[in-house]
Amino acid sequence: MLELDLTAELDRQMSVCNACRYCEGFCAVFGAAQLHTAIGTGDVAYLANLCHDCRMCFDACMFAPPHEFAINVPAVMAAGRVETYERYGRPSLPARMIRNPRGVAIAAVLGGTAIVALAIAASAGAAAFWTPQSGPGAFYRVLPYAAMIVPALGLAAYGAVCVALGARDYARDIGAGSRFVSLSSLRTALREALALTYLKGGGAGCYDAHRSSGSRRAFHGLVFWGFLADLAATVSAALEQEFLHLLPPYPLWSVPVVLGTGGGIALAVGVAGLVAVKRRSDNRPTEPHMIALDYTFLGLLETVALTGLALLAFRSTAAMGALLAVHLGAVAGLFITAPYGKFVHFVYRFIALVKNAHEQGHIAA
Ligand code: HEM
Ligand code: SF4
Ligand code: SF4
């Protein structure tokens, strides 16, 4: 949808909703829309990311197609989120990757795997791909520590700077010159983000083929906490190595392995569940581009989780070298595409929640 069309279309739909107000109890969007009655570009970016896509307002709407008003709030919000990801992707040239997310993700994972495989062959020789390794430092005999950590930190730093620049501009645009960050708005937003309050459809759940289902929120919880556990596993492994001078592979009952295994399983199950929900869902209240972004991100997360679990299971066999290349390649693919895909949704969503908490706090005061 063109930007002007999108702004005009959201303006049209919200003016019907502001008159109707039937869906007010479902989420924060309808209350916020009453404070933004003349929709501009910043309002599209704000409301689109405040919408949690529970789709209950589509299921409930008496003006949804085939009614001539053709009200479909979740679809226009999904189009607004795709536009946000592209508009605030930094630098803007690679942000165009968003238009072909699948192709870019596949190229990033395959390219990352090929580069890691070449680095392994260059540092340990081709035999590293069929010679089993065991004991402390086994991974580093295949690929030196510096060759793992330096590119990983470089990619993470690049992604963090890009996302921070986009987030700053997004906050400026949706704030329209006013400040909305305070301790209390941050606290409220954090609580709502962790509970995914607005994915509850006002309490009944999301609209998918099962109507009023809580499964999307539950699977998202597994993905969210699984991802954080995997990050914590990586940090704890670095701390063990740095301060206790213990080299990986770590025992099965060590902190990094327990966190990594639990996180990997939660991530794998959560992603599979989200894919199952998506496959059975009605596609009318969404947008094809968003579906492509969702599946790409889900595919990347699943590849990272499954290759990580496989590496753990076969780390002392001859398959370790190849699995290490594939797993690090998948992680590289996730990091390279992170600033330009669905991964960034949590940043814009969180900022939108902070602004909403600020506005609602002012009304209550
Ligand atoms: C502030 C934290 C977060 C919030 C508020 C949040 C919120 C949401 C919401 C509302 C959705 C459904 C709407 C949509 O598809 O955009 C969603 C989807 C998704 N989120 Fe998050 N999220 C957060 C963090 C994360 C993290 C850290 C991950 C994992 C790395 C993650 C993974 C996903 C995935 C895979 C989907 C797609 C689900 C689907 O396609 O059905 N989220 N998130
Ligand atoms: S989505 Fe439909 S039912 Fe809900 S407030 Fe808007 S017009 Fe009314
Ligand atoms: S899809 Fe759900 S979160 Fe989005 S506007 Fe409709 S009711 Fe609110």
Side-chain angles (χ1 to χ4, degrees), residues 88-153:
Y88 297 101
R90 299 286 181 272
S92 47
L93 195 66
R96 293 193 195 141
M97 285 184 195
I98 245 169
R99 295 179 195 168
N100 178 16
R102 277 194 199 105
V104 169
I106 291 170
V109 172
L110 292 181
T113 304
I115 291 171
V116 178
L118 284 175
I120 290 176
S123 59
F129 290 108
W130 59 79
T131 312
Q133 299 282 345
S134 60
F139 292 121
Y140 303 147
R141 286 195 290 281
V142 171
L143 187 65
Y145 181 55
M148 283 191 211
I149 195 77
V150 173
L153 288 179

Side-chain angles (χ1 to χ4, degrees), residues 52-354:
H52 278 40
D53 196 30
C54 76
R55 305 178 187 185
M56 284 300 268
C57 61
F58 178 77
D59 189 41
C61 188
M62 49 282 205
F63 304 121
H67 190 283
E68 59 184 322
F69 285 3
I71 300 296
N72 186 341
V73 176
V76 80
M77 295 299 188
R81 286 194 296 279
V82 173
E83 196 200 58
T84 306
Y85 303 158
E86 184 168 351
R87 175 185 290 264
Y88 297 101
R90 299 286 181 272
S92 47
L93 195 66
R96 293 193 195 141
M97 285 184 195
I98 245 169
R99 295 179 195 168
N100 178 16
R102 277 194 199 105
V104 169
I106 291 170
V109 172
L110 292 181
T113 304
I115 291 171
V116 178
L118 284 175
I120 290 176
S123 59
F129 290 108
W130 59 79
T131 312
Q133 299 282 345
S134 60
F139 292 121
Y140 303 147
R141 286 195 290 281
V142 171
L143 187 65
Y145 181 55
M148 283 191 211
I149 195 77
V150 173
L153 288 179
L155 275 180
Y158 169 80
V161 170
C162 294
V163 172
L165 291 175
R168 180 201 59 186
D169 294 348
Y170 173 79
R172 181 200 58 211
D173 289 356
I174 69 166
S178 67
R179 289 181 162 270
F180 55 85
V181 181
S182 67
L183 205 58
S184 98
S185 62
L186 281 172
R187 216 174 22 227
T188 307
L190 190 62
R191 198 183 57 241
E192 291 174 344
L194 290 179
L196 279 186
T197 306
Y198 302 119
L199 205 56
K200 288 183 191 167
C206 290
Y207 160 59
D208 62 35
H210 291 201
R211 286 245 152 92
S212 309
S213 145
S215 35
R216 198 142 165 249
R217 191 164 155 267
F219 287 129
H220 187 281
L222 281 178
V223 171
F224 178 87
W225 291 109
F227 185 79
L228 287 193
D230 281 344
L231 277 186
T234 311
V235 172
S236 67
L239 294 178
E240 287 212 9
Q241 177 163 334
E242 207 54 46
F243 296 108
L244 304 179
H245 305 293
L246 296 171
L247 293 180
Y250 297 112
L252 285 185
W253 289 109
S254 61
V255 174
V257 175
V258 170
L259 280 174
T261 313
I265 292 172
L267 195 54
V269 172
V271 167
L274 285 172
V275 169
V277 172
K278 195 170 286 302
R279 284 171 62 86
R280 73 176 185 226
S281 290
D282 182 352
N283 274 346
R284 287 173 301 162
T286 184
E287 209 267 322
H289 218 119
M290 181 53 88
I291 298 177
L293 284 172
D294 282 345
Y295 275 127
T296 305
F297 184 41
L298 289 164
L300 278 169
L301 287 174
E302 197 70 329
T303 311
V304 168
L306 293 180
T307 54
L309 290 172
L311 181 58
L312 176 70
F314 299 105
R315 61 188 181 172
S316 48
T317 71
M320 188 260 261
L323 286 172
L324 185 65
V326 176
H327 180 57
L328 293 183
V331 174
L334 182 67
F335 274 68
I336 292 165
T337 55
Y340 312 112
K342 178 68 178 252
F343 193 94
V344 290
H345 72 289
F346 76 93
V347 177
Y348 302 121
R349 287 196 175 291
F350 186 73
I351 298 172
L353 285 171
V354 175

